[in-house]
Amino acid sequence: MSLPNDMGALAALWLKEKKQEEDATAARRNIEDHIKKLAGVADDLDGTETFNQGAVEIKIVGRIDRKVDSEKVQELAAEHGLSEHLSSLFRWKPELNMAVWKATDASITQALAPAITAKPGRPSFKIITTKE
């Protein structure tokens, strides 16, 4: 594809392509949402589910976006005598270290849980053709 040497024409071309890209993304996401619904995948999937459908394998990876209220988690830790656990459970700009959080005793995580909000993120999809 040869491109014009005019900035106005290039900008118009870019806008046209960007619109097509946005339309394609919206259409793809609509298809993904329908696949997720047909597969019975929960909105709060936190992990991977794989479905084999004839010649295709569909992997749906769900994520939960977690946010930490830094001030609240520090207050709760101090209140419960758990401040020494903060550096292993959280990354400061506090981010939840899920591997350590899941492996930590519930008496610790339950006390700190009110400082964390969680909401489902958009799942990613990978569809590949397989041999039958």
Side-chain angles (χ1 to χ4, degrees), residues 38 61 69 72 97 124:
L38 287 176
V61 180
D69 180 328
K72 187 170 186 174
N97 184 340
S124 62

Side-chain angles (χ1 to χ4, degrees), residues 32 35-37 39-51 58-66 98 102 118-126:
E32 290 172 353
I35 290 171
K36 191 176 95 171
K37 180 180 175 184
V41 174
D43 287 337
D44 61 353
L45 171 66
D46 191 13
T48 302
E49 289 197 26
T50 302
F51 304 90
I58 302 171
K59 286 187 182 187
I60 302 174
V61 180
R63 294 174 188 83
I64 302 296
D65 297 329
R66 292 174 170 88
M98 280 308 296
K102 287 178 179 179
K119 64 176 184 162
R122 182 161 185 85
S124 62
F125 286 71
K126 181 177 181 181

Side-chain angles (χ1 to χ4, degrees), residues 2-131:
S2 76
L3 296 174
N5 287 326
D6 173 81
M7 291 293 267
L10 283 170
L13 184 59
W14 185 92
L15 289 169
K16 176 184 162 224
E17 295 297 329
K18 187 66 174 173
K19 175 72 170 110
Q20 288 179 348
E21 179 183 325
E22 290 168 357
D23 291 346
T25 297
R28 176 184 50 83
R29 287 185 172 184
N30 188 36
I31 292 166
E32 290 172 353
D33 290 343
H34 197 63
I35 290 171
K36 191 176 95 171
K37 180 180 175 184
L38 287 176
V41 174
D43 287 337
D44 61 353
L45 171 66
D46 191 13
T48 302
E49 289 197 26
T50 302
F51 304 90
N52 290 303
Q53 193 69 35
V56 296
E57 177 180 273
I58 302 171
K59 286 187 182 187
I60 302 174
V61 180
R63 294 174 188 83
I64 302 296
D65 297 329
R66 292 174 170 88
K67 305 268 189 237
V68 177
D69 180 328
S70 176
E71 290 181 25
K72 187 170 186 174
V73 78
Q74 290 178 75
E75 288 173 16
L76 290 167
E79 179 182 324
H80 295 281
L82 301 172
S83 295
E84 71 274 9
H85 296 284
L86 294 180
S87 64
S88 63
L89 290 171
F90 300 92
R91 297 181 192 107
W92 294 97
K93 161 187 143 198
E95 294 175 333
L96 198 52
N97 184 340
M98 280 308 296
V100 176
W101 181 271
K102 287 178 179 179
T104 299
D105 187 86
S107 66
I108 296 168
T109 58
Q110 285 176 350
L112 301 175
I116 300 163
T117 58
K119 64 176 184 162
R122 182 161 185 85
S124 62
F125 286 71
K126 181 177 181 181
I127 301 175
I128 58 173
T129 303
T130 59
K131 296 179 182 175

